Amino acid sequence: MNLHPYAETHEVTNQVPPLDGANLYRIDLPLQEWVRRYEGGWAEQKLDAYGALAGGPLMAAGFLANENKPVFKSHDRYGHRIDLVEFHPAYHELMRASIKAGIPSMPWTDPRAGAQVARAGLSYLHSQAEAGTGCPLTMTFASVPALRLQPDIAEKWLPKILATEYDPRNLPIEQKAGATIGMAMTEKQGGTDVRANTTRAYPVGIPGPGQAYELVGHKWFCSAPMCDAFLTLAYTDKGLTCFLLPRHRPDGSRNEFYIQRLKNKLGNWSNASSEVEYRGALAWMIGEEGRGVPTIIEMVAMTRFDCMIGSSSLMRQALTQAAHHCAYRQVGGRVLAEQPLMQNVLADLALESEAALALTMRMGRALDRPHDEQEDKFARLVTAVGKYWICKRAPAMINEAAECLGGAGYVEDTILPRLYREAPVNSTWEGSGNVQCLDVLRALSKEPGVLDALFAELGDGHGDARLASFIGNLKASFADTHDIQYRARQLTENVAVALQAKLLLEAGNATVSDAFIASRLSDGGRVYGTLPRGVDVEALVARATPHLA
């Protein structure tokens, strides 16, 4: 049968080849360089293998996991309360791959030089495929320092937490090959102000660290409620205290842990976040009684570090999509990436992405040296500085990257809408922007040597007069303590960009460092794509653009 002459309206042309199956490590030159720079080069084979996974099957799994959100089942068909959350198989595929690769465990099981950097690289690749698994992976990873404060509890739990086998079955820990840890800290009346919590803990027998308590109260945010146990906060007679609350009691029965509902979130769709109640839930005290916040602080450096990794990862995937699109798409008979204004935009996005990665990997290096006083003080400050700045920059940067694709960047067939929805979670989780900036002031004012450590790191500008002047102004800003809390965001921003400039300059790629310093340390445009004259935008775009084999 002959088709009607008008049946075919047009020929599809000027389309971009798919990135499906690209090895996310091989196409990311900055990641390769920064991993090597901070002693993670020994893991390159592992990173290369995970880059292939992340750009291939895990990328596909990320789309499926977001299209099929977790479902809460409060009761079984017979009317028994079960409090289960069911996930799509794609979510389990993502969890299984990441745990097998050691993302929650590597620095603890193989604590050699560069372990935190290598693990950050793996997480950076994984989150580009799907960031919704980030909470259980991060909390499982970050729980280790806190649990080690209670050796008797750690002896039972750490072998399962550090295992590289994912076991999603809803069973007591003794019957499982591996375990994941969640967290439940905030309550509806207090949010970030955990000292406003009302949950109470009552000793079952002898009180004190490592002992059993029953908890009564609620948590407004419990992320990843199908984890095997949760670090949580409750009041005893001596004050706010940290506890480990498992899903099952020692006799194998379900704990008195009740999911009220799942959160309907802006993004982070593949992950379940919930409201829960404790109705006499059995839990074990971790750390000193009444010192819950200092105990939880043991995790904070790690969780904030993961916020830095996560936001940097989202930015990189957005940049990858934008640069790839513009390398092929033609407008007015010319490829977009060859047009001056688009080059300005793409180069600016590339600078933002690499600066975020540089600060993140420098933070990884500090965590790799836990007994170095200078690095300890650096990490204490930069967990807050980096978490604030990188997470704040991500949403606007991803929005600009999506705009490079025009209308195509606004539809769900691409990954960009998901990246954009995901971006705000890292700036909110583990303390929003003001919390981070106030923590910067707290560290600088109450912990001796932190300010000195900052300026020791920044040095004298490394031969760049612009950076030297900026550092001098920064010192003057900290010397002026009048209304310093009012100015905390500006101070934190200036610390962040000064550190990024220093790291890029020190790395030795003059094209990158000169463009960053020229655009970030002086008055310039207020949106992306406003780089000053003289920047080698072609080289920056070429560095950021995926080159497929």
Side-chain angles (χ1 to χ4, degrees), residues 368-434:
D368 268 324
R369 300 181 176 185
H371 306 299
D372 183 312
E373 185 177 359
Q374 163 71 15
E375 295 295 281
D376 281 348
K377 294 182 186 304
F378 177 86
R380 170 65 185 93
L381 181 67
V382 174
T383 52
V385 170
K387 199 273 191 190
Y388 170 78
W389 182 239
I390 295 171
C391 298
K392 278 281 182 231
R393 297 294 279 178
M397 186 271 190
I398 295 167
N399 174 62
E400 191 69 59
E403 193 174 315
C404 292
L405 278 69
Y410 196 70
V411 298
E412 296 290 344
D413 292 340
T414 74
I415 197 173
L416 286 155
R418 170 152 51 103
L419 299 177
Y420 187 64
R421 284 194 303 271
E422 188 72 31
V425 73
N426 286 324
S427 64
T428 302
W429 188 52
E430 287 296 353
S432 56
N434 285 356

Side-chain angles (χ1 to χ4, degrees), residues 25 31-48 106 112-122 361 364-365 368:
Y25 186 68
L31 176 59
Q32 296 168 30
E33 291 181 2
W34 287 99
V35 164
R36 293 172 195 144
R37 179 166 182 77
Y38 291 131
E39 303 180 282
W42 54 265
E44 281 204 90
Q45 187 173 354
K46 193 178 185 76
L47 287 160
D48 183 73
M106 180 193 288
R112 67 173 105 171
Q116 291 282 5
V117 170
R119 183 257 173 192
L122 289 169
M361 289 305 189
R365 182 188 183 216
D368 268 324

Side-chain angles (χ1 to χ4, degrees), residues 153 156-157 174 199-206 210-217 228-232 234 242-258 277-286:
I153 303 296
K156 174 182 177 180
W157 281 88
E174 293 80 7
T199 298
R200 295 287 305 182
Y202 304 93
V204 173
I206 300 171
Q211 298 301 317
Y213 285 71
E214 289 186 338
L215 275 55
V216 177
D228 296 287
F230 306 88
L231 284 164
T232 192
C242 181
F243 292 88
L244 181 71
L245 188 156
R247 284 187 61 83
H248 294 85
R249 289 173 171 254
D251 63 3
S253 63
R254 66 183 301 272
N255 208 348
E256 298 299 309
F257 170 92
Y258 294 89
E277 287 187 352
Y278 306 150
R279 303 174 188 172
L282 196 62
W284 279 262
M285 185 183 291
I286 304 297

Side-chain angles (χ1 to χ4, degrees), residues 166-186:
Y166 174 57
D167 189 344
R169 295 175 300 163
N170 185 33
L171 294 172
I173 186 67
E174 293 80 7
Q175 300 176 38
K176 298 190 66 168
T180 55
I181 303 296
M183 67 184 300
M185 303 294 175
T186 60

